[in-house]
Amino acid sequence: MPLEIERKFLVRTDAWRDQTTHSERLRDGLVARQDGLKVRVRCYGNRTTLCVKSARRGLTRDEFEYEIPADHAEAIFAHCEGRILEKTRHYVPGDSGIWEVDVYHGALEGVVIAEIEVPTETTSVTLPDWVGDEVTSDPRYSKANMLTERSRAATVRELRRARLAGL
């Protein structure tokens, strides 16, 4: 069974940028989420996939990803309004493997998260100087929760502006 074992970290500095080997733009659409299970559609480069991920058990979760035709992906994206994220993924080699540094655009502009996949939950990871606090198990840093929080904050700002304008 395909497993994903990854650790997620905040990024402290831009020092990783000089070490990037390549980058690609990604678009993720959350199709469904329930009890930790999520289904998403993704477009990156000339690949389009449908991915199913189970809830995490520690650092591990089941992950099933299947390539689908681009027109199918676009049709699925149409059902993801308000749940589409865009980011640029930068690949940065490190002592413990390849780091994926995601720089978000749009609704999550300003968020930068570094991830590294590891073969086991007990694998030691050497952290580069630019890596900050680990957020793997922090629910505030799941993409869905970050998007919900940003949307909530935007609504509060709009309500405050309307109140100040006397509406």
Side-chain angles (χ1 to χ4, degrees), residues 122-137:
T122 58
T123 299
S124 176
V125 174
T126 302
L127 302 179
D129 292 341
W130 48 265
V131 169
D133 293 337
E134 184 163 7
V135 295
T136 304
S137 300

Side-chain angles (χ1 to χ4, degrees), residues 9-24 87-94 97-105 110-115 127-132:
F9 298 83
L10 298 178
V11 175
R12 294 184 317 115
T13 72
D14 282 344
W16 56 271
R17 289 189 183 273
D18 293 337
Q19 302 163 37
T20 299
T21 59
H22 64 287
S23 304
E24 61 187 344
K87 62 188 175 185
T88 301
R89 173 164 287 168
H90 304 274
Y91 296 87
V92 182
I98 302 296
W99 288 85
E100 296 175 350
V101 180
D102 290 337
V103 177
Y104 287 86
H105 310 289
V111 174
V112 181
I113 301 285
E115 301 176 351
L127 302 179
D129 292 341
W130 48 265
V131 169

Side-chain angles (χ1 to χ4, degrees), residues 25 34 37 78 95 110 113 132 148 153 155 165 167:
R25 186 83 176 213
Q34 181 177 359
L37 178 74
D95 293 340
I113 301 285
T148 298
T155 300
L167 302 176

Side-chain angles (χ1 to χ4, degrees), residues 3-139:
L3 297 177
E4 176 186 66
I5 307 171
E6 73 177 6
R7 295 177 60 189
K8 293 169 44 172
F9 298 83
L10 298 178
V11 175
R12 294 184 317 115
T13 72
D14 282 344
W16 56 271
R17 289 189 183 273
D18 293 337
Q19 302 163 37
T20 299
T21 59
H22 64 287
S23 304
E24 61 187 344
R25 186 83 176 213
L26 287 89
R27 185 168 49 132
D28 279 335
L30 182 62
V31 178
R33 181 174 80 153
Q34 181 177 359
D35 300 329
L37 178 74
K38 65 181 177 181
V39 179
R40 73 155 194 249
V41 61
R42 173 175 278 176
C43 177
Y44 51 108
N46 52 1
R47 286 188 68 205
T48 50
T49 63
L50 193 63
C51 183
V52 179
K53 293 186 179 191
S54 70
R56 283 188 193 277
R57 295 172 311 281
L59 302 176
T60 304
R61 63 178 159 199
D62 300 324
E63 179 182 43
F64 307 92
E65 189 166 18
Y66 306 98
E67 289 209 31
I68 61 173
D71 60 333
H72 292 198
E74 290 304 323
I76 296 169
F77 273 117
H79 297 283
C80 298
E81 186 175 333
R83 298 181 316 274
I84 297 174
L85 297 175
E86 295 190 39
K87 62 188 175 185
T88 301
R89 173 164 287 168
H90 304 274
Y91 296 87
V92 182
D95 293 340
S96 298
I98 302 296
W99 288 85
E100 296 175 350
V101 180
D102 290 337
V103 177
Y104 287 86
H105 310 289
L108 293 181
E109 188 76 35
V111 174
V112 181
I113 301 285
E115 301 176 351
I116 187 163
E117 290 200 23
V118 291
T120 70
E121 288 199 14
T122 58
T123 299
S124 176
V125 174
T126 302
L127 302 179
D129 292 341
W130 48 265
V131 169
D133 293 337
E134 184 163 7
V135 295
T136 304
S137 300
D138 189 334

